[in-house]
Amino acid sequence: MEERKGITTGSDTQYASEPRDNGMDEEDLALMEQFLNDPAHDYRNLKYGDTVDGTVMRIDKDEILVDIGAKAEGIVPSREMQSLPAEDRAALRIGSELLVFIVQSEDKEGRAILSVDKARQEKSWRMLQTAFEQGDVITARVVNYNKGGLLVNLDGVRGFVPASQVNGISRGPETQKQSDMARMVNTDLQLKVIEINRNRNRLILSERQAVQEARETKKDELLSRLKEGDVRTGTVSSVCDFGAFVDIGGADGLVHLSEISWSRVKHPSEVLHSGDKVQVSILSVDHDRKRIALSIKRTQSEPWTRAGERYQLGQIVEGTITQLASFGAFARIEDGIEGLIHISEMGDERIQHPKEVIAEGDTIQARIIRIDPARKRMGLSLRLNREPDEPVEDVDEEPENA
């Protein structure tokens, strides 16, 4: 019988030839080592403030059980998912992914306390910071208003849009401003972040800047497509002393006073008003200064091109006195065609000034005594019974300010 060497320690004796009996052989040990080294079995060391993607394990009335990769599942109490829309909560299923915020890494039962509300807010702050840095335009719904402006909600982050930064708010009386703001509640606005301070929970936005930026982008695209001679339909956006601005679909162009009508126009407001729909022709496009010159009258045929067919010597026509001068008066026969009534053709008696006989705005009957379509000239006479062979005084005056 083989003799076994023993090692005596106190009263116990161990034999060097026998391994300890721990119930595991070399193959079991290898499998255990492989299991422990597998990253899939690493547990997250989560702490307050972490935001992680979890997997829904169970949905109860008052809480949701979520696997967040920790030693134990976490729970989202009902108080921590107030911002989750009812339709989104109803759509949750076992296995659904859910973004959560770690409120408490471990409670008395060893579970993490999670928050959907804070996770949505965290995600929103990050998105808003990125939008601010990149100058992006975002969409937000108006949830309320106060004396100074509109309040919007962006997934748990409250933002403020000053009244001065909203296009649809009147600059008139306070009552009108409040009415305008009340009307905008529950509407969506395109906004740009102009100030963000997370530490102070401060978020200021502007609709005016967002609209202006969108308009500038649209204007650049439009300018690249416009060609001289193109005809567009536009809307009069404003009227000023020297002309009118017309929106042609993303950019305003100027119709100068001289390009409004073939007839003489003293002020654009005589024929144009904000909101009017008009046809305009593109006269020129200045890409460097981003300016567009437009014409309304050039979308219509030039009246003098058909004057030779419509009017003849001796014809009696009706006209409206448009301007008096020391040498006579001008009368509009039709849009774009005016004739001169020389002072010598205002009657049989000699007069010192046309105002002794007629006034601006008067409607008169006159005889055509001279016509030159090529030079756009027409001579008229108030002496309807004058003899056709009477000599005509050779005058060639232009209307003042023509």
Side-chain angles (χ1 to χ4, degrees):
M1 190 171 179
E2 183 181 351
E3 182 181 354
R4 294 182 294 180
K5 295 181 179 180
I7 301 175
T8 304
T9 57
S11 60
D12 294 329
T13 301
Q14 293 183 351
Y15 296 96
S17 61
E18 293 182 349
R20 294 184 179 182
D21 186 8
N22 55 12
M24 299 181 66
D25 57 20
E26 292 184 1
E27 183 177 353
D28 291 335
L29 289 171
L31 288 173
M32 175 61 75
E33 183 177 0
Q34 180 181 352
F35 178 85
L36 294 174
N37 291 332
D38 187 347
H41 300 290
D42 287 344
Y43 291 119
R44 293 177 178 174
N45 184 22
L46 299 172
K47 60 184 183 302
Y48 174 84
D50 288 341
T51 302
V52 298
D53 285 308
T55 303
V56 175
M57 304 298 291
R58 189 178 73 239
I59 303 173
D60 296 330
K61 181 180 179 181
D62 297 324
E63 64 181 30
I64 299 175
L65 187 68
V66 181
D67 179 3
I68 54 173
K71 290 183 291 184
E73 289 85 0
I75 60 166
V76 183
S78 58
R79 67 177 184 276
E80 293 292 346
M81 48 182 163
Q82 299 296 317
S83 67
L84 191 65
E87 58 271 21
D88 289 356
R89 184 170 181 180
L92 288 176
R93 297 289 184 271
I94 304 301
S96 296
E97 283 194 359
L98 187 64
L99 185 68
V100 292
F101 180 97
I102 309 300
V103 175
Q104 185 178 343
S105 58
E106 191 173 332
D107 65 0
K108 294 179 180 178
E109 299 177 10
R111 302 176 304 178
I113 304 301
L114 313 174
S115 172
V116 170
D117 296 339
K118 289 183 174 62
R120 287 165 64 88
Q121 190 178 64
E122 172 70 20
K123 184 178 180 181
S124 185
W125 274 116
R126 292 179 184 178
M127 180 274 293
L128 290 165
Q129 184 66 42
T130 300
F132 176 67
E133 293 170 356
Q134 298 182 356
D136 295 338
V137 173
I138 61 176
T139 302
R141 172 151 292 197
V142 179
V143 295
N144 209 336
Y145 65 97
N146 57 28
K147 186 177 181 180
L150 303 174
L151 302 175
V152 298
N153 189 290
L154 290 141
D155 283 338
V157 177
R158 172 169 287 194
F160 179 67
V161 190
S164 62
Q165 296 297 320
V166 182
N167 289 330
I169 297 179
S170 169
R171 301 294 181 264
E174 186 64 28
T175 53
Q176 182 61 48
K177 289 173 62 176
Q178 294 295 310
S179 176
D180 291 341
M181 289 191 285
R183 176 175 47 81
M184 301 182 77
V185 173
N186 292 325
T187 63
D188 292 331
L189 296 180
Q190 296 293 302
L191 302 168
K192 192 168 183 181
V193 180
I194 58 176
E195 183 180 344
I196 183 170
N197 188 325
R198 184 171 179 179
N199 292 332
R200 297 176 58 192
N201 202 32
R202 181 179 176 85
L203 177 68
I204 310 297
L205 306 111
S206 169
E207 183 200 28
R208 190 178 297 277
Q209 286 192 22
V211 170
Q212 180 63 30
E213 184 171 296
R215 187 171 179 81
E216 285 298 320
T217 301
K218 196 171 183 180
K219 184 175 183 177
D220 290 341
E221 294 174 355
L222 180 63
L223 286 170
S224 67
R225 299 196 307 268
L226 288 179
K227 296 179 181 178
E228 293 183 14
D230 286 352
V231 175
R232 299 276 181 136
T233 299
T235 303
V236 177
S237 55
S238 63
V239 177
C240 54
D241 292 339
F242 53 84
F245 289 94
V246 178
D247 184 346
I248 54 173
D252 280 355
L254 173 65
V255 181
H256 190 268
L257 179 63
S258 61
E259 292 294 334
I260 291 176
S261 172
W262 289 109
S263 296
R264 194 160 45 87
V265 178
K266 292 183 178 179
H267 195 277
S269 60
E270 295 175 12
V271 291
L272 295 175
H273 303 89
S274 293
D276 287 351
K277 296 290 185 181
V278 293
Q279 291 283 110
V280 293
S281 176
I282 310 299
L283 294 183
S284 64
V285 179
D286 186 336
H287 293 279
D288 294 333
R289 301 170 69 188
K290 296 185 179 182
R291 292 185 178 179
I292 308 167
L294 305 173
S295 173
I296 293 176
K297 75 179 187 181
R298 300 195 194 197
T299 62
Q300 308 154 0
S301 59
E302 209 282 322
W304 280 102
T305 59
R306 60 183 189 277
E309 302 171 1
R310 292 170 56 83
Y311 304 107
Q312 297 81 39
L313 289 175
Q315 182 178 345
I316 304 297
V317 293
E318 182 177 273
T320 302
I321 302 300
T322 59
Q323 185 177 342
L324 300 182
S326 59
F327 54 83
F330 293 91
R332 184 174 64 246
I333 307 306
E334 65 170 83
D335 284 347
I337 296 183
E338 288 191 347
L340 170 65
I341 308 170
H342 192 265
I343 193 170
S344 63
E345 295 293 338
M346 292 186 176
D348 295 329
E349 297 181 4
R350 187 175 184 80
I351 61 174
Q352 297 298 316
H353 194 280
K355 64 183 178 182
E356 299 174 17
V357 181
I358 53 179
E360 289 187 11
D362 286 353
T363 299
I364 52 93
Q365 297 289 319
R367 182 188 297 275
I368 298 176
I369 58 175
R370 181 167 54 92
I371 184 168
D372 185 352
R375 298 177 61 202
K376 301 180 182 180
R377 300 285 188 269
M378 180 183 289
L380 301 172
S381 175
L382 297 182
R383 298 160 60 195
L384 300 182
N385 296 323
R386 78 191 303 280
E387 295 297 327
D389 57 351
E390 280 190 48
V392 177
E393 189 167 347
D394 189 17
V395 292
D396 194 22
E397 271 78 359
E398 288 275 7
E400 294 180 12
N401 301 321

